[in-house]
Amino acid sequence: WLVNLLCDERPSVAREAGRALESMSGTALVEELRRVIRSDARDYSRRYALRILLRKHPYDAVIDALTAAGSGSEALARAGTNYIESVRPWHVSYGPTDAQKDAVQSAIRDLQAPLPENLRRRLRDFMGVGME
């Protein structure tokens, strides 16, 4: 219900729904938020959904940041790129799972444009994945 409110025509309603969703967790919520980002929802709805996703675990958030970087939306691309540039390996005391590494490599392959070298390096350092 709250995810649907993210797409409300009134930005103030979407903003409040985003604030309420920030404290929630769960796989179903993540998939619904990703659906909002991929949809033709209003730009502010997509930004609120991304903001929530980028506050999740850093290894999972990198996947959403990559999706945003290739979304075609200037605001989402900027947020995704900024997240990737700011994430550091020492923010987490253990490494990513193989599934997280695979998801990052898949997200990179799905990008329409090549990833800039500085972001590729940052991902290699943070995720420990070889870039094709």
Side-chain angles (χ1 to χ4, degrees):
W1 178 72
L2 286 171
V3 173
N4 289 334
L5 288 177
L6 275 179
C7 300
D8 195 272
E9 63 187 36
R10 296 164 293 185
S12 62
V13 171
R15 182 182 59 245
E16 292 305 316
R19 287 180 179 163
L21 285 166
E22 285 179 5
S23 64
M24 298 177 159
S25 63
T27 305
L29 176 62
V30 168
E31 291 308 315
E32 287 297 309
L33 292 169
R34 288 176 176 162
R35 181 188 53 78
V36 170
I37 291 173
R38 289 188 305 265
S39 73
D40 290 329
R42 291 167 178 82
D43 204 38
Y44 60 81
S45 300
R46 296 170 72 202
R47 286 193 319 265
Y48 293 144
L50 179 62
R51 184 173 62 211
I52 296 165
L53 289 169
L54 293 182
R55 291 184 177 164
K56 301 294 182 190
H57 191 281
Y59 293 133
D60 293 326
V62 163
I63 298 161
D64 297 307
L66 276 167
T67 301
S71 69
S73 162
E74 186 178 327
L76 291 181
R78 186 173 45 252
T81 299
N82 288 344
Y83 184 86
I84 294 168
E85 289 174 342
S86 69
V87 74
R88 300 290 188 263
W90 57 83
H91 287 172
V92 185
S93 61
Y94 51 88
T97 65
D98 289 339
Q100 289 166 324
K101 289 179 182 183
D102 291 344
V104 165
Q105 288 179 324
S106 176
I108 291 170
R109 283 191 299 272
D110 291 345
L111 291 174
Q112 299 295 327
L115 198 61
E117 184 57 33
N118 65 321
L119 295 182
R120 292 172 70 82
R121 239 185 344 267
R122 175 70 63 206
L123 288 170
R124 185 177 51 244
D125 293 346
F126 184 65
M127 296 296 294
V129 294
M131 305 293 171
E132 297 89 36

